[in-house]
Amino acid sequence: MSAVTDRLPTFPWDKLEPYKATAAAHPDGIVDLSVGTPVDPVPELIQKALVAAADSPGYPTVWGTPELRDALTGWVERRLGARDITHHHVLPIVGSKELVAWLPTQLGLGPGDKVAFPCLAYPTYEVGARLARADHVAYDDPTDLDPTDLKLLWLNSPSNPTGKVLSAAELTRIVAWAREHDILVFADECYIELGWEADPVSVLHPDVCGGSYEGIVSVHSLSKRSNLAGYRAAFLAGDPAVLGDLLQIRKHGGMMTSAPTQAAVIAALSDDTHVREQRERYAARRTALRDALLQHGFRIEHSEASLYLWATRDESCWTTVAHLADLGILVAPGDFYGPPGDNFVRVALTATDERVTAAVARLQR
């Protein structure tokens, strides 16, 4: 076991514990804006679908029920603008983090192979490379990378942590470059429903991929759009050759989405009303927090989409974390996501209206 754990970086969130204790000591309690975990109720129609499927004594299939695959293909075409999506173009997964962490291993990557991800990025991209003993490289622009031995290119738009959105033109240029060099592209699009000042585009849109899904796969999650983080509900869409191989590997590994969760996903993807309602909640919280941070002397960069504000006071991120902890507000230090985040903090919109109101009041004093 030590041989595996030795490959991994120090778990960053442990460093935040002293600041969490400081924030928790505030007389009015902590406002935790550090982790992007949903706090609003699971929509009733999804809960009902889960309960109705609770009597599921048999094993589910890794590929999911035909009804689930119908729901996935329908959503991909309706929401992402993709065309000619069949059941072979989709694959349910057990939450997107599982996929990110184990994808390089499932692709058969190892020493000498390279995995690339943005300079500011979700830490699990690097963890996945380390678990597979593959090399890893961070980029500002992936087309500036040396393509030699580069086997997996992660895109993330809208970005976690910055909220930056890659335009259709940028995505088209990157996909074309990757195809030219036979590099597999996985696009993490888990925040695609949450564009505020930009309209995120999928790599599966015909304007980006030219109507061909060769060498590209997009990753989608229901955690944020439908408050289903506790359900572990996500899926892949794209190149059927890649997904076919992953399906066989995941069958052997028993990586199955539970039957009740599959039923819940069908309900969630068939309804857009709850998504609009949740967007409105986040939009109101975003406006309130953004205005309060600006008044408090912060500068906000990017943040045109996703569930975070990427904010700075042009000082060490840990100085900012300590300052906000003294106000009873906990945020994530930017260096969790890479060295370019040293002077930034990530402020999540995932707190109740009452806690957001409390944070705004503290920032305005």
Side-chain angles (χ1 to χ4, degrees):
M1 287 298 294
S2 63
V4 176
T5 55
D6 286 349
R7 299 179 211 160
L8 302 178
T10 302
F11 189 64
W13 292 94
D14 292 342
K15 296 168 61 178
L16 203 55
E17 285 302 315
Y19 301 92
K20 184 174 184 179
T22 298
H26 190 279
D28 185 39
I30 189 173
V31 180
D32 192 342
L33 306 178
S34 64
V35 182
T37 186
V39 297
D40 299 302
V42 174
E44 186 175 357
L45 85 160
I46 301 175
Q47 293 189 48
K48 287 182 176 179
L50 185 83
V51 171
D55 186 14
S56 299
Y59 289 111
T61 64
V62 173
W63 202 14
T65 64
E67 294 78 13
L68 174 61
R69 282 176 262 144
D70 283 343
L72 298 180
T73 57
W75 184 87
V76 168
E77 291 192 336
R78 184 179 81 251
R79 178 60 185 85
L80 304 184
R83 299 171 183 164
D84 302 320
I85 298 293
T86 72
H87 285 194
H88 295 281
H89 291 88
V90 294
L91 179 65
I93 53 177
V94 191
S96 58
K97 184 170 185 175
E98 164 263 305
L99 183 280
V100 173
W102 293 107
L103 178 64
T105 299
Q106 291 177 19
L107 292 174
L109 304 188
D113 298 323
K114 288 191 296 190
V115 176
F117 46 80
C119 285
L120 282 166
Y122 185 46
T124 311
Y125 302 133
E126 179 180 337
V127 167
R130 287 174 176 268
L131 286 171
R133 296 180 177 170
D135 298 328
H136 60 272
V137 58
Y139 64 79
D140 284 316
D141 181 338
T143 65
D144 291 334
L145 294 171
D146 179 355
T148 305
D149 297 321
L150 179 55
K151 300 298 176 62
L152 173 61
L153 172 63
W154 277 108
L155 303 181
N156 181 208
S157 176
S159 162
N160 174 16
T162 68
K164 180 180 179 181
V165 172
L166 295 174
S167 68
E170 290 174 298
L171 289 170
T172 301
R173 176 177 61 85
I174 293 167
V175 167
W177 176 84
R179 283 174 167 168
E180 179 185 350
H181 297 287
D182 196 26
I183 299 166
L184 179 61
V185 174
F186 263 68
D188 183 344
E189 300 179 347
C190 289
Y191 296 92
I192 201 164
E193 297 271 27
L194 297 166
W196 311 115
E197 298 163 4
D199 187 13
V201 179
S202 173
V203 292
L204 302 184
H205 194 283
D207 289 349
V208 173
C209 68
S212 167
Y213 306 115
E214 182 181 0
I216 56 173
V217 177
S218 63
V219 184
H220 295 274
S221 168
L222 283 81
S223 293
K224 310 306 196 285
R225 72 182 297 277
S226 300
N227 300 333
L228 295 190
Y231 284 45
R232 309 316 301 135
F235 63 94
L236 306 177
D239 190 331
V242 175
L243 298 189
D245 284 346
L246 288 176
L247 173 59
Q248 296 307 314
I249 292 164
R250 294 169 70 86
K251 283 181 179 179
H252 284 288
M255 306 179 88
M256 302 172 281
T257 303
S258 75
T261 297
Q262 292 188 34
V265 170
I266 294 169
L269 293 181
S270 68
D271 177 69
D272 294 330
T273 300
H274 78 276
V275 180
R276 288 194 298 269
E277 292 172 348
Q278 189 60 45
R279 275 181 53 87
E280 290 170 1
R281 293 187 190 103
Y282 285 136
R285 292 165 187 166
R286 179 180 183 272
T287 297
L289 285 169
R290 182 184 179 92
D291 290 349
L293 288 166
L294 292 172
Q295 291 172 20
H296 198 74
F298 281 87
R299 186 176 77 255
I300 295 173
E301 293 191 0
H302 296 302
S303 307
E304 58 257 33
S306 83
L307 284 181
Y308 312 104
L309 295 170
W310 189 238
T312 182
R313 299 203 308 170
D314 295 309
E315 62 188 9
S316 164
C317 60
W318 289 101
T319 301
T320 305
V321 168
H323 168 71
L324 292 175
D326 286 340
L327 299 178
I329 301 169
L330 189 67
V331 297
D335 66 1
F336 278 10
Y337 307 95
D342 285 349
N343 292 338
F344 285 81
V345 293
R346 193 194 73 171
V347 183
L349 309 179
T350 49
T352 63
D353 292 341
E354 184 273 331
R355 288 289 83 190
V356 168
T357 299
V360 168
R362 297 173 195 181
L363 290 166
Q364 290 176 339
R365 286 174 189 156

